[in-house]
Every structure is written in C-alpha cells, then in structure tokens.
Amino acid sequence: NAGVTQTPKFRILKIGQSMTLQCTQDMNHNYMYWYRQDPGMGLKLIYYSVGAGITDKGEVPNGYNVSRSTTEDFPLRLELAAPSQTSVYFCASRGLAGELFFGEGSRLTVL
Amino acid sequence: RKEVEQDPGPFNVPEGATVAFNCTYSNSASQSFFWYRQDCRKEPKLLMSVYSSGNEDGRFTAQLNRASQYISLLIRDSKLSDSATYLCVWGPGTYKYIFGTGTRLKVLA
C-alpha cells in the first residue's frame, strides 16, 4: 500500500548544484503537485500536473522544473541550487473526492 | 488579508478537554474544505473533509459556515496523541488548494 513515494528523504546541496526529487504514486491519480513548506509557513505550490504530458506553474516556480511522462511519476528538478531553496518538499496526488495524499517529504538544505 | 487564516496557537489543553479551532477564508466562491493533521517534521495527512451540513468522525466534528466564511474543527475528549498541527485547506477551484499555516495543539497529561 505504497501511495505517494518520494526520494530522497534528505539531501544537502552546495550552491549551484542541481538535483532531481523523485515522486511516484501508485493510485492512478491524474492530478499531482509539488509543494514546499518553510518553517512556520503554509505549503506553497511549485508546480502541478493534471495528467501525463501536462504541467503548469504554481505560486513559486522559479528555480524549478518538472516533467510528467507517465501517470505515476512527477519528478521535480532543481537547477543551480540557492540557499533560498532550503525547505521541505512534498509531493502529493489528488483523489477522486478532492483529497490530497502526500509523500513523506524531502528535506533539502543548500549550503 | 490572507486567503486562509488560522490562529497559530499553541492551544495547550489537558487530556479529556474539548478544543475548537476556526479557520476563515476570504472568498465566497468556495468549493471544498479539508482539515489535515501534520505531526512535527512529517507530511500532512487528511483528517476529514468538511461538508456543508457538518460532519462527524468519532471525536472530531467539522462545521462549515458559508455566511461568515469560516470552518471549524472540534475535538472532544482530547488525547495525548492528538498533539499536532492542524491545517485548514481550502479548495476553491479545480486544481488549486490554499493551505493555512496551521494551528498547533498540545494535549497535556
């Protein structure tokens, strides 16, 4: 009963490095989301996808890119990491009743 | 004004107490509402959806007041394990969700 799986759980990057956060869901959901959560703040939408091949920007897309080649996978790419990207990243998919299912999160530190 | 506002707390209550949180939203074009629970350094997990007529799930009751534009969560007979942050989530459109910053609850022995 996997649900939404994110990897890695933790990562430390140096300024200017790049990396990809992986997200996979096994519930056959069309809608998928990437959020970031900073301490004391609400979740902010980075990118979302309404189905394979379709993605769009959320509130805070700068410095990130996504792709959606399959229904299951929705990776988030960080290019040229900056300290402002230090955060916890959550991937989510949307169920039929509109509820969101979240992965366990990826904690990223950029030094 | 923020689209979704919550009292950050913390609400410190003794075991067995009843506690209520409110969440206000700014736009009457509301679609759907949810309460999520988030434990420290963990992912948000759905606690309950909020229906127009109000709904109950065990010790938890959710209410929606469209006229005053707020939703509420009532927890009865609080347990130590209820200690967490409770997020109000507003879904005004087909894909977009707005998250409150959460209300911290600490249930004390």
Side-chain angles (χ1 to χ4, degrees):
Chain A
N1 202 13
V4 179
T5 303
Q6 287 182 238
T7 57
K9 286 187 169 44
F10 303 93
R11 183 74 186 266
I12 297 175
L13 282 182
K14 294 182 179 178
I15 294 171
Q17 287 185 319
S18 300
M19 75 161 298
T20 299
L21 301 178
Q22 302 291 344
C23 176
T24 298
Q25 53 97 5
D26 62 359
M27 296 173 282
N28 202 34
H29 291 162
N30 287 322
Y31 285 71
M32 293 187 74
Y33 304 81
W34 273 106
Y35 292 94
R36 60 177 286 173
Q37 185 177 35
D38 299 317
M41 306 292 287
L43 278 76
K44 300 294 185 186
L45 181 63
I46 305 172
Y47 271 94
Y48 70 100
S49 170
V50 301
I54 306 170
T55 63
D56 208 346
K57 296 177 180 178
E59 303 168 78
V60 289
N62 291 344
Y64 307 95
N65 271 302
V66 293
S67 59
R68 185 94 182 270
S69 57
T70 66
T71 299
E72 294 78 19
D73 300 310
F74 190 39
L76 177 72
R77 177 85 177 159
L78 280 74
E79 304 281 3
L80 297 176
S84 61
Q85 293 178 303
T86 294
S87 190
V88 181
Y89 292 84
F90 290 105
C91 179
S93 67
R94 191 178 91 169
L96 292 176
E99 72 278 32
L100 292 176
F101 298 88
F102 287 87
E104 293 183 337
S106 299
R107 298 183 180 283
L108 176 67
T109 301
V110 182
L111 301 174
Chain B
R1 182 183 173 186
K2 292 182 181 177
E3 291 180 282
V4 174
E5 291 201 71
Q6 293 184 253
D7 182 339
F11 285 62
N12 295 323
V13 302
E15 268 188 295
T18 296
V19 62
F21 313 132
N22 282 346
C23 168
T24 58
Y25 59 95
S26 62
N27 191 317
S28 59
S30 55
Q31 295 294 323
S32 53
F33 300 92
F34 306 89
W35 282 104
Y36 281 75
R37 171 194 170 125
Q38 187 173 27
D39 293 292
C40 188
R41 302 175 72 81
K42 299 282 192 180
E43 76 274 23
K45 292 184 178 177
L46 179 68
L47 181 64
M48 57 198 305
S49 303
V50 185
Y51 303 124
S52 296
S53 55
N55 48 302
E56 188 173 305
D57 183 2
R59 298 182 293 108
F60 300 86
T61 300
Q63 298 275 357
L64 167 61
N65 185 318
R66 290 192 186 274
S68 300
Q69 295 184 202
Y70 74 88
I71 66 170
S72 63
L73 177 68
L74 181 78
I75 305 175
R76 290 180 298 278
D77 189 23
S78 299
K79 312 291 185 192
L80 293 175
S81 57
D82 293 332
S83 297
T85 296
Y86 291 84
L87 306 178
C88 164
V89 182
W90 170 39
T94 55
Y95 76 88
K96 184 179 180 183
Y97 294 83
I98 307 296
F99 288 79
T101 53
T103 297
R104 280 184 57 206
L105 171 66
K106 291 184 71 174
V107 181
L108 307 171

